[in-house]
Amino acid sequence: MMRAILLHLSENKKLAPLIMANSVSRRVAQRFVAGDNLDDAITAAREVNLARRSASLDLLGENVSDEAGARAAAELDANVSLKLTQLGLDLNESLCEELLEGIVAHASAQGNFVRVDMEGSPYTQRTVAIVKRVRAKYDGVGTVMQSYLYRTEQDLKDLLSVGCRIRLCKGAYKEPPDVAFPKKSDVDANYVKLMKILLPSGVYHGIATHDPAMIDATKGFVKQQGIGLDRFEFQMLYGIRTDLQKQLIREGYRLRVYIPFGTDWFPYFMRRLAERPANMTFFLRSLVPHSSHSDPPAF
Ligand SMILES: Cc1cc2nc3c(=O)[nH]c(=O)nc-3n(C[C@H](O)[C@H](O)[C@H](O)COP(=O)(O)OP(=O)(O)OC[C@H]3O[C@@H](n4cnc5c(N)ncnc54)[C@H](O)[C@@H]3O)c2cc1C
């Protein structure tokens, strides 16, 4: 119930400026968002790299570009994540594809990689189609599959047939029961099923989750199948389960941290609150002046 309300509010354009102007919510959001600009993201990515983790930078807000920033970013072990609605998918599909192709061409020329995030189900079909077309011209692009959607197994096989790199996640948007599994147990079972299709494919994929059960299932499967630990990577979000991130690195797994930055952080922040009731409780307690909110939840 709380998840549904928060996901609904995440799309509320009137609420966004109110929450973003509030100093307390800005402070809580800093747990999930590296900062407003590219310099903040580079600092966060350096820290992540120092801890032997890779990074994926995701610009949530307006573009910031300068040569020093670009050079600093180029030295990082980091790729790029973006959303097609940021590139105008709602306005003009062919312009969006053209812009994506330009970015992927540039990234490929630098030996880098662009990950197209997956958004709500109204965008799934178009995202898969655009990524497939751009992937036919450049290797350096991949996308995300969500285990909560009924259609995902078919999409995943379709994308695998063209050798596309996939990030597997559970899915973060509010979806109706005719398109997505309503029960968490079904979403989890489908996640494990899809992971078992992806990892033996020989393509380098990302297993994106903070769920110890999904991580254990993956570890068990790669061990049983004799899949090398350098043949895939785990992926987690900036500021979430850093303890688990460090543990996986100690155990010899690869791990990439998704680092969002930018000024347009409201929908991302609301989706993170929706994922864990403790995050919401912490946020609400923070809004009460002088309340004892010194113990944040274990992100
Ligand atoms: C690298 C990465 C990229 C992603 N990209 C996309 C995308 O493109 N499209 C999309 O729809 N979704 C994306 N997601 C979000 C994803 O779909 C889930 O909403 C999110 O990862 C929570 O699911 P979970 O697998 O961690 O499992 P859950 O079952 O939600 O959580 C398992 C456990 O993880 C911890 N946890 C999970 N979320 C949080 C949180 N916010 N704060 C604190 N602890 C938490 C808790 O301990 C929780 O019990 C991405 C996730 C990651 C890690």
PDB file of all heavy atoms in Angstrom, residues 32 117-118 144 146 148 167 169-173 184 208-212 235-237 240-241 258 272 275-276 279 298-299, ligand 1:
ATOM      1  N   PHE A  32      21.203   8.772  -1.272  1.00  0.00           N
ATOM      2  CA  PHE A  32      20.999   7.998  -2.512  1.00  0.00           C
ATOM      3  C   PHE A  32      21.555   8.677  -3.744  1.00  0.00           C
ATOM      4  O   PHE A  32      21.680   8.056  -4.792  1.00  0.00           O
ATOM      5  CB  PHE A  32      19.490   7.791  -2.755  1.00  0.00           C
ATOM      6  CG  PHE A  32      18.743   7.162  -1.626  1.00  0.00           C
ATOM      7  CD1 PHE A  32      17.791   7.866  -0.919  1.00  0.00           C
ATOM      8  CD2 PHE A  32      18.981   5.846  -1.268  1.00  0.00           C
ATOM      9  CE1 PHE A  32      17.083   7.291   0.115  1.00  0.00           C
ATOM     10  CE2 PHE A  32      18.285   5.256  -0.246  1.00  0.00           C
ATOM     11  CZ  PHE A  32      17.339   5.978   0.460  1.00  0.00           C
ATOM     12  N   ASP A 117      18.535   2.547 -19.071  1.00  0.00           N
ATOM     13  CA  ASP A 117      17.675   2.106 -17.975  1.00  0.00           C
ATOM     14  C   ASP A 117      16.304   1.728 -18.519  1.00  0.00           C
ATOM     15  O   ASP A 117      15.873   2.245 -19.548  1.00  0.00           O
ATOM     16  CB  ASP A 117      17.469   3.240 -16.961  1.00  0.00           C
ATOM     17  CG  ASP A 117      18.707   3.531 -16.124  1.00  0.00           C
ATOM     18  OD1 ASP A 117      19.632   2.704 -16.102  1.00  0.00           O
ATOM     19  OD2 ASP A 117      18.730   4.600 -15.486  1.00  0.00           O
ATOM     20  N   MET A 118      15.601   0.858 -17.792  1.00  0.00           N
ATOM     21  CA  MET A 118      14.233   0.538 -18.200  1.00  0.00           C
ATOM     22  C   MET A 118      13.265   1.307 -17.311  1.00  0.00           C
ATOM     23  O   MET A 118      13.375   1.288 -16.096  1.00  0.00           O
ATOM     24  CB  MET A 118      13.979  -0.971 -18.097  1.00  0.00           C
ATOM     25  CG  MET A 118      12.664  -1.390 -18.718  1.00  0.00           C
ATOM     26  SD  MET A 118      12.478  -0.930 -20.465  1.00  0.00           S
ATOM     27  CE  MET A 118      13.443  -2.199 -21.285  1.00  0.00           C
ATOM     28  N   VAL A 144      18.093  -2.867 -19.675  1.00  0.00           N
ATOM     29  CA  VAL A 144      17.721  -3.435 -18.376  1.00  0.00           C
ATOM     30  C   VAL A 144      16.442  -4.242 -18.556  1.00  0.00           C
ATOM     31  O   VAL A 144      15.535  -3.819 -19.280  1.00  0.00           O
ATOM     32  CB  VAL A 144      17.453  -2.282 -17.370  1.00  0.00           C
ATOM     33  CG1 VAL A 144      17.041  -2.836 -16.015  1.00  0.00           C
ATOM     34  CG2 VAL A 144      18.685  -1.392 -17.239  1.00  0.00           C
ATOM     35  N   GLN A 146      13.293  -6.192 -16.330  1.00  0.00           N
ATOM     36  CA  GLN A 146      12.659  -6.184 -15.000  1.00  0.00           C
ATOM     37  C   GLN A 146      11.910  -7.496 -14.769  1.00  0.00           C
ATOM     38  O   GLN A 146      11.006  -7.837 -15.525  1.00  0.00           O
ATOM     39  CB  GLN A 146      11.677  -5.018 -14.923  1.00  0.00           C
ATOM     40  CG  GLN A 146      12.323  -3.659 -15.149  1.00  0.00           C
ATOM     41  CD  GLN A 146      11.346  -2.649 -15.729  1.00  0.00           C
ATOM     42  OE1 GLN A 146      10.536  -2.981 -16.593  1.00  0.00           O
ATOM     43  NE2 GLN A 146      11.432  -1.411 -15.287  1.00  0.00           N
ATOM     44  N   TYR A 148       9.661  -8.240 -12.728  1.00  0.00           N
ATOM     45  CA  TYR A 148       8.239  -8.181 -12.358  1.00  0.00           C
ATOM     46  C   TYR A 148       7.294  -8.194 -13.565  1.00  0.00           C
ATOM     47  O   TYR A 148       6.112  -8.409 -13.417  1.00  0.00           O
ATOM     48  CB  TYR A 148       7.920  -7.036 -11.405  1.00  0.00           C
ATOM     49  CG  TYR A 148       8.104  -5.588 -11.860  1.00  0.00           C
ATOM     50  CD1 TYR A 148       8.332  -5.207 -13.183  1.00  0.00           C
ATOM     51  CD2 TYR A 148       8.031  -4.574 -10.906  1.00  0.00           C
ATOM     52  CE1 TYR A 148       8.487  -3.878 -13.549  1.00  0.00           C
ATOM     53  CE2 TYR A 148       8.178  -3.236 -11.260  1.00  0.00           C
ATOM     54  CZ  TYR A 148       8.402  -2.889 -12.587  1.00  0.00           C
ATOM     55  OH  TYR A 148       8.557  -1.569 -12.942  1.00  0.00           O
ATOM     56  N   ARG A 167      21.149  -5.771 -17.890  1.00  0.00           N
ATOM     57  CA  ARG A 167      21.160  -5.640 -16.423  1.00  0.00           C
ATOM     58  C   ARG A 167      19.815  -6.195 -15.953  1.00  0.00           C
ATOM     59  O   ARG A 167      18.771  -5.744 -16.408  1.00  0.00           O
ATOM     60  CB  ARG A 167      21.269  -4.178 -15.996  1.00  0.00           C
ATOM     61  CG  ARG A 167      21.005  -3.981 -14.501  1.00  0.00           C
ATOM     62  CD  ARG A 167      20.627  -2.547 -14.154  1.00  0.00           C
ATOM     63  NE  ARG A 167      21.716  -1.637 -14.391  1.00  0.00           N
ATOM     64  CZ  ARG A 167      21.520  -0.331 -14.667  1.00  0.00           C
ATOM     65  NH1 ARG A 167      20.310   0.165 -14.750  1.00  0.00           N
ATOM     66  NH2 ARG A 167      22.558   0.445 -14.875  1.00  0.00           N
ATOM     67  N   CYS A 169      17.046  -6.576 -13.119  1.00  0.00           N
ATOM     68  CA  CYS A 169      16.589  -6.046 -11.827  1.00  0.00           C
ATOM     69  C   CYS A 169      15.155  -6.514 -11.608  1.00  0.00           C
ATOM     70  O   CYS A 169      14.563  -7.166 -12.462  1.00  0.00           O
ATOM     71  CB  CYS A 169      16.699  -4.523 -11.802  1.00  0.00           C
ATOM     72  SG  CYS A 169      15.523  -3.697 -12.887  1.00  0.00           S
ATOM     73  N   LYS A 170      14.594  -6.173 -10.444  1.00  0.00           N
ATOM     74  CA  LYS A 170      13.213  -6.601 -10.173  1.00  0.00           C
ATOM     75  C   LYS A 170      12.200  -5.649 -10.800  1.00  0.00           C
ATOM     76  O   LYS A 170      11.132  -6.066 -11.214  1.00  0.00           O
ATOM     77  CB  LYS A 170      12.982  -6.680  -8.664  1.00  0.00           C
ATOM     78  CG  LYS A 170      13.744  -7.813  -7.994  1.00  0.00           C
ATOM     79  CD  LYS A 170      13.332  -7.964  -6.548  1.00  0.00           C
ATOM     80  CE  LYS A 170      14.213  -8.967  -5.837  1.00  0.00           C
ATOM     81  NZ  LYS A 170      13.859  -9.111  -4.417  1.00  0.00           N
ATOM     82  N   GLY A 171      12.538  -4.342 -10.838  1.00  0.00           N
ATOM     83  CA  GLY A 171      11.603  -3.352 -11.388  1.00  0.00           C
ATOM     84  C   GLY A 171      11.126  -2.419 -10.296  1.00  0.00           C
ATOM     85  O   GLY A 171      10.785  -2.862  -9.203  1.00  0.00           O
ATOM     86  N   ALA A 172      11.120  -1.112 -10.603  1.00  0.00           N
ATOM     87  CA  ALA A 172      10.910  -0.107  -9.560  1.00  0.00           C
ATOM     88  C   ALA A 172       9.660   0.741  -9.747  1.00  0.00           C
ATOM     89  O   ALA A 172       9.428   1.645  -8.964  1.00  0.00           O
ATOM     90  CB  ALA A 172      12.132   0.815  -9.514  1.00  0.00           C
ATOM     91  N   TYR A 173       8.849   0.463 -10.759  1.00  0.00           N
ATOM     92  CA  TYR A 173       7.719   1.360 -11.048  1.00  0.00           C
ATOM     93  C   TYR A 173       6.406   0.745 -10.577  1.00  0.00           C
ATOM     94  O   TYR A 173       6.349  -0.445 -10.233  1.00  0.00           O
ATOM     95  CB  TYR A 173       7.686   1.669 -12.550  1.00  0.00           C
ATOM     96  CG  TYR A 173       8.914   2.440 -12.978  1.00  0.00           C
ATOM     97  CD1 TYR A 173      10.113   1.775 -13.270  1.00  0.00           C
ATOM     98  CD2 TYR A 173       8.904   3.823 -13.026  1.00  0.00           C
ATOM     99  CE1 TYR A 173      11.254   2.471 -13.612  1.00  0.00           C
ATOM    100  CE2 TYR A 173      10.043   4.535 -13.377  1.00  0.00           C
ATOM    101  CZ  TYR A 173      11.210   3.854 -13.669  1.00  0.00           C
ATOM    102  OH  TYR A 173      12.349   4.548 -14.003  1.00  0.00           O
ATOM    103  N   LYS A 184       5.502 -10.506  -4.502  1.00  0.00           N
ATOM    104  CA  LYS A 184       6.974 -10.463  -4.458  1.00  0.00           C
ATOM    105  C   LYS A 184       7.585 -11.840  -4.705  1.00  0.00           C
ATOM    106  O   LYS A 184       8.614 -11.967  -5.372  1.00  0.00           O
ATOM    107  CB  LYS A 184       7.432  -9.907  -3.105  1.00  0.00           C
ATOM    108  CG  LYS A 184       8.943  -9.897  -2.914  1.00  0.00           C
ATOM    109  CD  LYS A 184       9.343  -9.220  -1.612  1.00  0.00           C
ATOM    110  CE  LYS A 184      10.732  -9.621  -1.122  1.00  0.00           C
ATOM    111  NZ  LYS A 184      11.830  -9.447  -2.053  1.00  0.00           N
ATOM    112  N   ALA A 208      21.579  -7.008 -10.900  1.00  0.00           N
ATOM    113  CA  ALA A 208      21.369  -5.810 -10.071  1.00  0.00           C
ATOM    114  C   ALA A 208      20.339  -6.083  -8.979  1.00  0.00           C
ATOM    115  O   ALA A 208      19.149  -6.193  -9.261  1.00  0.00           O
ATOM    116  CB  ALA A 208      20.907  -4.659 -10.956  1.00  0.00           C
ATOM    117  N   THR A 209      20.811  -6.197  -7.768  1.00  0.00           N
ATOM    118  CA  THR A 209      19.912  -6.458  -6.639  1.00  0.00           C
ATOM    119  C   THR A 209      20.660  -6.240  -5.327  1.00  0.00           C
ATOM    120  O   THR A 209      21.882  -6.365  -5.279  1.00  0.00           O
ATOM    121  CB  THR A 209      19.362  -7.909  -6.686  1.00  0.00           C
ATOM    122  OG1 THR A 209      18.472  -8.115  -5.598  1.00  0.00           O
ATOM    123  CG2 THR A 209      20.460  -8.957  -6.629  1.00  0.00           C
ATOM    124  N   HIS A 210      19.876  -5.913  -4.270  1.00  0.00           N
ATOM    125  CA  HIS A 210      20.445  -5.875  -2.917  1.00  0.00           C
ATOM    126  C   HIS A 210      19.902  -7.041  -2.112  1.00  0.00           C
ATOM    127  O   HIS A 210      20.109  -7.111  -0.909  1.00  0.00           O
ATOM    128  CB  HIS A 210      20.056  -4.578  -2.208  1.00  0.00           C
ATOM    129  CG  HIS A 210      20.203  -3.374  -3.066  1.00  0.00           C
ATOM    130  ND1 HIS A 210      19.180  -2.881  -3.844  1.00  0.00           N
ATOM    131  CD2 HIS A 210      21.271  -2.597  -3.300  1.00  0.00           C
ATOM    132  CE1 HIS A 210      19.603  -1.828  -4.516  1.00  0.00           C
ATOM    133  NE2 HIS A 210      20.873  -1.637  -4.221  1.00  0.00           N
ATOM    134  N   ASP A 211      19.151  -7.906  -2.766  1.00  0.00           N
ATOM    135  CA  ASP A 211      18.440  -8.972  -2.060  1.00  0.00           C
ATOM    136  C   ASP A 211      19.378 -10.170  -1.839  1.00  0.00           C
ATOM    137  O   ASP A 211      19.796 -10.833  -2.799  1.00  0.00           O
ATOM    138  CB  ASP A 211      17.237  -9.388  -2.921  1.00  0.00           C
ATOM    139  CG  ASP A 211      16.331 -10.379  -2.204  1.00  0.00           C
ATOM    140  OD1 ASP A 211      16.795 -11.011  -1.229  1.00  0.00           O
ATOM    141  OD2 ASP A 211      15.171 -10.521  -2.625  1.00  0.00           O
ATOM    142  N   PRO A 212      19.707 -10.453  -0.563  1.00  0.00           N
ATOM    143  CA  PRO A 212      20.638 -11.559  -0.292  1.00  0.00           C
ATOM    144  C   PRO A 212      20.174 -12.883  -0.902  1.00  0.00           C
ATOM    145  O   PRO A 212      21.000 -13.702  -1.320  1.00  0.00           O
ATOM    146  CB  PRO A 212      20.669 -11.644   1.238  1.00  0.00           C
ATOM    147  CG  PRO A 212      20.263 -10.272   1.701  1.00  0.00           C
ATOM    148  CD  PRO A 212      19.299  -9.754   0.661  1.00  0.00           C
ATOM    149  N   GLN A 235      25.438  -5.640  -9.369  1.00  0.00           N
ATOM    150  CA  GLN A 235      25.283  -4.183  -9.411  1.00  0.00           C
ATOM    151  C   GLN A 235      24.375  -3.754  -8.258  1.00  0.00           C
ATOM    152  O   GLN A 235      23.387  -4.432  -7.954  1.00  0.00           O
ATOM    153  CB  GLN A 235      24.651  -3.746 -10.743  1.00  0.00           C
ATOM    154  CG  GLN A 235      25.508  -4.096 -11.953  1.00  0.00           C
ATOM    155  CD  GLN A 235      24.927  -3.574 -13.258  1.00  0.00           C
ATOM    156  OE1 GLN A 235      23.795  -3.129 -13.321  1.00  0.00           O
ATOM    157  NE2 GLN A 235      25.724  -3.645 -14.318  1.00  0.00           N
ATOM    158  N   MET A 236      24.737  -2.653  -7.615  1.00  0.00           N
ATOM    159  CA  MET A 236      23.894  -2.103  -6.545  1.00  0.00           C
ATOM    160  C   MET A 236      23.818  -0.593  -6.668  1.00  0.00           C
ATOM    161  O   MET A 236      24.612   0.020  -7.382  1.00  0.00           O
ATOM    162  CB  MET A 236      24.454  -2.481  -5.170  1.00  0.00           C
ATOM    163  CG  MET A 236      24.389  -3.969  -4.896  1.00  0.00           C
ATOM    164  SD  MET A 236      24.697  -4.354  -3.181  1.00  0.00           S
ATOM    165  CE  MET A 236      25.128  -6.093  -3.354  1.00  0.00           C
ATOM    166  N   LEU A 237      22.872  -0.006  -5.948  1.00  0.00           N
ATOM    167  CA  LEU A 237      22.668   1.440  -6.009  1.00  0.00           C
ATOM    168  C   LEU A 237      23.551   2.148  -4.990  1.00  0.00           C
ATOM    169  O   LEU A 237      23.802   1.620  -3.892  1.00  0.00           O
ATOM    170  CB  LEU A 237      21.194   1.780  -5.728  1.00  0.00           C
ATOM    171  CG  LEU A 237      20.170   1.165  -6.695  1.00  0.00           C
ATOM    172  CD1 LEU A 237      18.752   1.525  -6.255  1.00  0.00           C
ATOM    173  CD2 LEU A 237      20.410   1.633  -8.119  1.00  0.00           C
ATOM    174  N   ILE A 240      23.289   2.157  -0.892  1.00  0.00           N
ATOM    175  CA  ILE A 240      22.448   1.067  -0.379  1.00  0.00           C
ATOM    176  C   ILE A 240      23.281  -0.200  -0.184  1.00  0.00           C
ATOM    177  O   ILE A 240      24.018  -0.602  -1.074  1.00  0.00           O
ATOM    178  CB  ILE A 240      21.261   0.799  -1.331  1.00  0.00           C
ATOM    179  CG1 ILE A 240      20.369   2.042  -1.373  1.00  0.00           C
ATOM    180  CG2 ILE A 240      20.458  -0.419  -0.892  1.00  0.00           C
ATOM    181  CD1 ILE A 240      19.159   1.936  -2.268  1.00  0.00           C
ATOM    182  N   ARG A 241      23.154  -0.775   0.984  1.00  0.00           N
ATOM    183  CA  ARG A 241      23.839  -2.025   1.365  1.00  0.00           C
ATOM    184  C   ARG A 241      25.342  -1.994   1.030  1.00  0.00           C
ATOM    185  O   ARG A 241      25.878  -2.930   0.409  1.00  0.00           O
ATOM    186  CB  ARG A 241      23.166  -3.230   0.688  1.00  0.00           C
ATOM    187  CG  ARG A 241      21.773  -3.555   1.187  1.00  0.00           C
ATOM    188  CD  ARG A 241      21.663  -3.799   2.683  1.00  0.00           C
ATOM    189  NE  ARG A 241      22.641  -4.720   3.235  1.00  0.00           N
ATOM    190  CZ  ARG A 241      22.384  -6.000   3.519  1.00  0.00           C
ATOM    191  NH1 ARG A 241      21.199  -6.499   3.287  1.00  0.00           N
ATOM    192  NH2 ARG A 241      23.320  -6.755   4.060  1.00  0.00           N
ATOM    193  N   TYR A 258      25.809   1.984  -9.105  1.00  0.00           N
ATOM    194  CA  TYR A 258      25.072   2.930  -9.943  1.00  0.00           C
ATOM    195  C   TYR A 258      25.003   4.247  -9.183  1.00  0.00           C
ATOM    196  O   TYR A 258      24.440   4.311  -8.092  1.00  0.00           O
ATOM    197  CB  TYR A 258      23.709   2.306 -10.175  1.00  0.00           C
ATOM    198  CG  TYR A 258      22.683   3.074 -10.949  1.00  0.00           C
ATOM    199  CD1 TYR A 258      22.397   2.739 -12.274  1.00  0.00           C
ATOM    200  CD2 TYR A 258      21.920   4.064 -10.342  1.00  0.00           C
ATOM    201  CE1 TYR A 258      21.403   3.399 -12.974  1.00  0.00           C
ATOM    202  CE2 TYR A 258      20.921   4.721 -11.042  1.00  0.00           C
ATOM    203  CZ  TYR A 258      20.671   4.388 -12.349  1.00  0.00           C
ATOM    204  OH  TYR A 258      19.681   5.030 -13.036  1.00  0.00           O
ATOM    205  N   ARG A 272      13.221   5.133  -4.181  1.00  0.00           N
ATOM    206  CA  ARG A 272      14.054   4.511  -3.143  1.00  0.00           C
ATOM    207  C   ARG A 272      13.304   4.442  -1.806  1.00  0.00           C
ATOM    208  O   ARG A 272      13.421   3.480  -1.065  1.00  0.00           O
ATOM    209  CB  ARG A 272      15.375   5.275  -2.944  1.00  0.00           C
ATOM    210  CG  ARG A 272      16.256   5.381  -4.183  1.00  0.00           C
ATOM    211  CD  ARG A 272      16.803   4.082  -4.721  1.00  0.00           C
ATOM    212  NE  ARG A 272      15.958   3.208  -5.475  1.00  0.00           N
ATOM    213  CZ  ARG A 272      15.689   3.302  -6.797  1.00  0.00           C
ATOM    214  NH1 ARG A 272      16.148   4.277  -7.512  1.00  0.00           N
ATOM    215  NH2 ARG A 272      14.935   2.407  -7.391  1.00  0.00           N
ATOM    216  N   GLU A 275      10.907   1.525  -1.803  1.00  0.00           N
ATOM    217  CA  GLU A 275      11.464   0.168  -1.758  1.00  0.00           C
ATOM    218  C   GLU A 275      11.624  -0.376  -0.347  1.00  0.00           C
ATOM    219  O   GLU A 275      11.757  -1.571  -0.152  1.00  0.00           O
ATOM    220  CB  GLU A 275      12.842   0.157  -2.430  1.00  0.00           C
ATOM    221  CG  GLU A 275      12.749  -0.033  -3.921  1.00  0.00           C
ATOM    222  CD  GLU A 275      13.971   0.488  -4.647  1.00  0.00           C
ATOM    223  OE1 GLU A 275      14.973   0.826  -3.983  1.00  0.00           O
ATOM    224  OE2 GLU A 275      13.912   0.575  -5.870  1.00  0.00           O
ATOM    225  N   ARG A 276      11.680   0.527   0.632  1.00  0.00           N
ATOM    226  CA  ARG A 276      11.973   0.027   1.975  1.00  0.00           C
ATOM    227  C   ARG A 276      11.231   0.882   3.003  1.00  0.00           C
ATOM    228  O   ARG A 276      11.524   2.073   3.137  1.00  0.00           O
ATOM    229  CB  ARG A 276      13.485   0.099   2.217  1.00  0.00           C
ATOM    230  CG  ARG A 276      13.907  -0.663   3.428  1.00  0.00           C
ATOM    231  CD  ARG A 276      15.414  -0.903   3.412  1.00  0.00           C
ATOM    232  NE  ARG A 276      15.809  -1.631   4.595  1.00  0.00           N
ATOM    233  CZ  ARG A 276      16.469  -1.085   5.599  1.00  0.00           C
ATOM    234  NH1 ARG A 276      16.798   0.184   5.570  1.00  0.00           N
ATOM    235  NH2 ARG A 276      16.792  -1.804   6.652  1.00  0.00           N
ATOM    236  N   ASN A 279      13.129   3.348   5.162  1.00  0.00           N
ATOM    237  CA  ASN A 279      13.593   4.601   4.545  1.00  0.00           C
ATOM    238  C   ASN A 279      12.544   5.693   4.728  1.00  0.00           C
ATOM    239  O   ASN A 279      12.854   6.845   5.020  1.00  0.00           O
ATOM    240  CB  ASN A 279      13.834   4.417   3.042  1.00  0.00           C
ATOM    241  CG  ASN A 279      15.026   3.534   2.747  1.00  0.00           C
ATOM    242  OD1 ASN A 279      15.750   3.157   3.645  1.00  0.00           O
ATOM    243  ND2 ASN A 279      15.199   3.200   1.485  1.00  0.00           N
ATOM    244  N   ALA A 298      19.740   0.947   8.004  1.00  0.00           N
ATOM    245  CA  ALA A 298      20.968   0.371   7.437  1.00  0.00           C
ATOM    246  C   ALA A 298      20.879   0.368   5.921  1.00  0.00           C
ATOM    247  O   ALA A 298      20.406  -0.579   5.315  1.00  0.00           O
ATOM    248  CB  ALA A 298      21.146  -1.051   7.955  1.00  0.00           C
ATOM    249  N   PHE A 299      21.303   1.467   5.287  1.00  0.00           N
ATOM    250  CA  PHE A 299      21.280   1.519   3.833  1.00  0.00           C
ATOM    251  C   PHE A 299      22.330   0.588   3.275  1.00  0.00           C
ATOM    252  O   PHE A 299      22.314   0.241   2.159  1.00  0.00           O
ATOM    253  CB  PHE A 299      21.521   2.939   3.326  1.00  0.00           C
ATOM    254  CG  PHE A 299      20.396   3.875   3.668  1.00  0.00           C
ATOM    255  CD1 PHE A 299      20.540   4.804   4.688  1.00  0.00           C
ATOM    256  CD2 PHE A 299      19.201   3.804   2.990  1.00  0.00           C
ATOM    257  CE1 PHE A 299      19.492   5.667   4.987  1.00  0.00           C
ATOM    258  CE2 PHE A 299      18.153   4.671   3.305  1.00  0.00           C
ATOM    259  CZ  PHE A 299      18.305   5.605   4.313  1.00  0.00           C
TER     260      PHE A 299
HETATM  261  C1  LIG B   1      22.261  -1.053 -10.347  1.00  0.00           C
HETATM  262  C2  LIG B   1      20.763  -0.982 -10.365  1.00  0.00           C
HETATM  263  C3  LIG B   1      20.122  -0.440 -11.450  1.00  0.00           C
HETATM  264  C4  LIG B   1      18.727  -0.409 -11.517  1.00  0.00           C
HETATM  265  N1  LIG B   1      18.113   0.016 -12.656  1.00  0.00           N
HETATM  266  C5  LIG B   1      16.769  -0.066 -12.756  1.00  0.00           C
HETATM  267  C6  LIG B   1      16.088   0.222 -13.963  1.00  0.00           C
HETATM  268  O1  LIG B   1      16.696   0.557 -14.982  1.00  0.00           O
HETATM  269  N2  LIG B   1      14.739   0.100 -13.982  1.00  0.00           N
HETATM  270  C7  LIG B   1      14.016  -0.287 -12.882  1.00  0.00           C
HETATM  271  O2  LIG B   1      12.781  -0.413 -12.958  1.00  0.00           O
HETATM  272  N3  LIG B   1      14.641  -0.547 -11.707  1.00  0.00           N
HETATM  273  C8  LIG B   1      15.974  -0.440 -11.618  1.00  0.00           C
HETATM  274  N4  LIG B   1      16.607  -0.757 -10.428  1.00  0.00           N
HETATM  275  C9  LIG B   1      15.788  -0.902  -9.187  1.00  0.00           C
HETATM  276  C10 LIG B   1      15.285  -2.318  -8.995  1.00  0.00           C
HETATM  277  O3  LIG B   1      14.314  -2.615  -9.965  1.00  0.00           O
HETATM  278  C11 LIG B   1      14.669  -2.489  -7.596  1.00  0.00           C
HETATM  279  O4  LIG B   1      13.607  -1.586  -7.434  1.00  0.00           O
HETATM  280  C12 LIG B   1      15.644  -2.275  -6.456  1.00  0.00           C
HETATM  281  O5  LIG B   1      16.923  -2.756  -6.765  1.00  0.00           O
HETATM  282  C13 LIG B   1      15.159  -2.990  -5.196  1.00  0.00           C
HETATM  283  O6  LIG B   1      15.071  -4.373  -5.443  1.00  0.00           O
HETATM  284  P1  LIG B   1      16.083  -5.455  -4.819  1.00  0.00           P
HETATM  285  O7  LIG B   1      16.482  -6.379  -5.913  1.00  0.00           O
HETATM  286  O8  LIG B   1      17.194  -4.768  -4.144  1.00  0.00           O
HETATM  287  O9  LIG B   1      15.188  -6.327  -3.861  1.00  0.00           O
HETATM  288  P2  LIG B   1      14.094  -5.975  -2.741  1.00  0.00           P
HETATM  289  O10 LIG B   1      13.335  -7.233  -2.540  1.00  0.00           O
HETATM  290  O11 LIG B   1      13.336  -4.734  -3.072  1.00  0.00           O
HETATM  291  O12 LIG B   1      14.988  -5.656  -1.487  1.00  0.00           O
HETATM  292  C14 LIG B   1      15.806  -6.643  -0.886  1.00  0.00           C
HETATM  293  C15 LIG B   1      16.578  -6.013   0.252  1.00  0.00           C
HETATM  294  O13 LIG B   1      17.483  -5.042  -0.283  1.00  0.00           O
HETATM  295  C16 LIG B   1      17.570  -3.912   0.567  1.00  0.00           C
HETATM  296  N5  LIG B   1      17.038  -2.736  -0.150  1.00  0.00           N
HETATM  297  C17 LIG B   1      16.406  -2.732  -1.331  1.00  0.00           C
HETATM  298  N6  LIG B   1      16.086  -1.462  -1.702  1.00  0.00           N
HETATM  299  C18 LIG B   1      16.534  -0.667  -0.715  1.00  0.00           C
HETATM  300  C19 LIG B   1      16.492   0.735  -0.500  1.00  0.00           C
HETATM  301  N7  LIG B   1      15.939   1.582  -1.369  1.00  0.00           N
HETATM  302  N8  LIG B   1      17.049   1.219   0.633  1.00  0.00           N
HETATM  303  C20 LIG B   1      17.623   0.380   1.526  1.00  0.00           C
HETATM  304  N9  LIG B   1      17.676  -0.962   1.373  1.00  0.00           N
HETATM  305  C21 LIG B   1      17.141  -1.474   0.280  1.00  0.00           C
HETATM  306  C22 LIG B   1      16.733  -4.244   1.781  1.00  0.00           C
HETATM  307  O14 LIG B   1      17.563  -4.852   2.723  1.00  0.00           O
HETATM  308  C23 LIG B   1      15.729  -5.213   1.236  1.00  0.00           C
HETATM  309  O15 LIG B   1      15.180  -6.050   2.226  1.00  0.00           O
HETATM  310  C24 LIG B   1      17.971  -0.851 -10.389  1.00  0.00           C
HETATM  311  C25 LIG B   1      18.639  -1.400  -9.291  1.00  0.00           C
HETATM  312  C26 LIG B   1      19.992  -1.481  -9.265  1.00  0.00           C
HETATM  313  C27 LIG B   1      20.659  -2.103  -8.074  1.00  0.00           C
END
